[in-house]
Amino acid sequence: MNLESSKLPSHRLRLAIQKSGRLTEKSLALFLQCGLDFDLRKDRLVNECKNFPIDLMLVRDDDIPEYISDGVCHLGIVGENVVEEKCFSNPHKNRDSILIVRKMGFGSCRLSLAVPDKMNFQGVKDLEGTRIATSYPMILSQYLKQARVEAKIVELAGSVEIAPSLKIADAICDLVSTGGTLRSNGMKEVLPIFKSQAVLVRSAATFTPELDLAFARLLQRINGVIHASESKYIMMNAPTVALKEIRKIIPGMEEPSIMPLGTNGERIAIHAVARETVFWETIEQLKAVGATSILVLPIEKIIA
Ligand code: PRP
Ligand code: ZN
């Protein structure tokens, strides 16, 4: 790493994200929605934001906890699996130097044990005496200890899925998202051991007042974008008598606006924010109690 650019400035936040991988595009898309305009060049380690006191570092995701602990950056977006492996599964390292700020709602996956398709797997005890390849030795060894299974952990930095065909392992413990990697390597997922998604992490060290303020502004924007993406604005017309029922049907509905339609009091227009995903089933239920002209609209920002 270029040491000049790794000096941590006291007036600008520095946030690390995965350089290329499952979390990269989603993280960048979120920053765009937060109105952050980065002058992004993927060959550059530190990328300046033109309209906010923050710089982006593009690094290997596995290194992010270490960078935060070492004071190379203030913030990071990384899988919970990496935080667990590099900080929380190992009480002597990085544990008190990193805080999880919030879950990001993307990058969900699981760390799972997987075995070759042809293996007859009945339960974790079948792994007794086997060799298990993984990039997550800490999480795996804890799991095996709890399950009272003795196995040899073969630590690999990447391409764990090919270890059984290379005959260097009998099983693997790796991240599964769509399951495509396992399938194309003739393996099956048998036991999920850790559920994960992307999280925003920060250094536990105190920020300067200037950085504290920048962080609070950043977090408000991130919260606003995430709340908005989980919410929908619903509008419909309905019989006045159906209001109570409709309140029960719409997920997480808060304080709807209710306007009379016409003058006889029989029908109303309802506008409301639903705080959770609105499924087709919900719309069908609304129709069933007499709602018409149902509109479900995306929300761009919600600032409480
Ligand atoms: C993980 C894992 C697999 C792949 C699984 O790698 O190591 O290779 O994703 O995804 P799938 O079930 O959708 O096929 P990741 O992209 O996280 O990269 P990294 O482990 O090298 O950081
Ligand atoms: Zn990784």
Side-chain angles (χ1 to χ4, degrees):
M1 195 194 307
N2 175 342
L3 279 179
E4 201 39 51
S5 58
S6 73
K7 260 187 224 146
L8 199 56
S10 60
H11 58 291
R12 293 179 71 78
L13 287 169
R14 192 176 279 176
L15 187 154
I17 63 165
Q18 189 180 28
K19 185 181 169 123
S20 66
R22 285 179 307 115
L23 305 183
T24 312
E25 292 312 316
K26 295 249 168 73
S27 303
L28 293 175
L30 174 83
F31 299 144
L32 200 65
Q33 285 177 292
C34 288
L36 304 180
D37 185 4
F38 285 104
D39 182 15
L40 206 64
R41 286 229 320 259
K42 286 214 168 170
D43 56 342
R44 224 168 23 198
L45 179 63
V46 179
N47 294 266
E48 253 181 53
C49 181
K50 292 186 235 164
N51 58 356
F52 200 91
I54 189 168
D55 299 321
L56 202 60
M57 261 177 79
L58 300 173
V59 298
R60 257 171 44 105
D61 63 337
D62 309 50
D63 295 334
I64 292 175
E66 200 74 51
Y67 286 157
I68 293 182
S69 298
D70 292 350
V72 176
C73 52
H74 305 103
L75 306 168
I77 293 180
V78 66
E80 276 177 291
N81 52 297
V82 173
V83 184
E84 181 68 25
E85 176 68 24
K86 305 280 177 183
C87 311
F88 299 158
S89 275
N90 183 345
H92 307 298
K93 222 174 121 206
N94 307 336
R95 188 174 190 109
D96 301 319
S97 49
I98 289 187
L99 306 170
I100 292 184
V101 181
R102 67 161 297 147
K103 295 185 192 256
M104 301 303 286
F106 60 79
S108 43
C109 61
R110 53 213 180 262
L111 184 65
S112 291
L113 283 161
V115 299
D117 280 331
K118 55 181 187 302
M119 178 173 167
N120 173 19
F121 183 90
Q122 303 292 334
V124 67
K125 297 279 180 221
D126 291 351
L127 296 173
E128 183 72 36
T130 60
R131 298 160 303 165
I132 310 175
T134 190
S135 308
Y136 297 87
M138 293 293 174
I139 302 179
L140 177 60
S141 63
Q142 262 182 14
Y143 177 83
L144 293 174
K145 204 170 150 194
Q146 274 167 17
R148 296 173 191 280
V149 167
E150 296 252 6
K152 181 175 177 343
I153 296 177
V154 180
E155 188 175 346
L156 297 176
S159 302
V160 169
E161 63 279 0
I162 60 171
S165 43
L166 295 179
K167 307 268 182 261
I168 56 172
D170 310 294
I172 66 168
C173 176
D174 199 14
L175 288 186
V176 183
S177 170
T178 60
T181 304
L182 287 183
R183 269 194 299 281
S184 55
N185 284 279
M187 313 260 296
K188 59 185 177 190
E189 182 181 5
V190 288
L191 278 175
I193 69 172
F194 186 82
K195 265 185 72 186
S196 176
Q197 64 168 287
V199 287
L200 174 67
V201 289
R202 64 160 282 176
S203 157
T206 315
F207 291 168
T208 62
E210 210 175 346
L211 288 184
D212 252 337
L213 183 67
F215 178 59
R217 284 177 62 210
L218 176 71
L219 194 58
Q220 183 177 59
R221 291 190 189 189
I222 292 176
N223 288 340
V225 170
I226 295 177
H227 286 157
S229 72
E230 287 166 351
S231 307
K232 292 282 179 279
Y233 196 73
I234 304 189
M235 302 193 281
M236 76 197 86
N237 297 337
T240 311
V241 291
L243 180 60
K244 213 171 145 199
E245 202 57 34
I246 287 172
R247 275 179 173 271
K248 279 192 232 151
I249 296 170
I250 298 181
M253 180 165 76
E254 293 169 7
E255 295 304 314
S257 307
I258 295 160
M259 290 145 285
L261 290 173
T263 50
N264 62 9
E266 281 175 13
R267 288 182 68 77
I268 47 175
I270 303 171
H271 293 192
V273 173
R275 293 282 180 180
E276 293 159 40
T277 312
V278 178
F279 294 105
W280 278 109
E281 288 74 14
T282 310
I283 309 231
E284 286 158 9
Q285 287 166 7
L286 290 171
K287 274 200 83 71
V289 297
T292 56
S293 306
I294 304 167
L295 287 184
V296 180
L297 306 175
I299 296 174
E300 201 175 275
K301 299 179 181 72
I302 296 183
I303 307 301

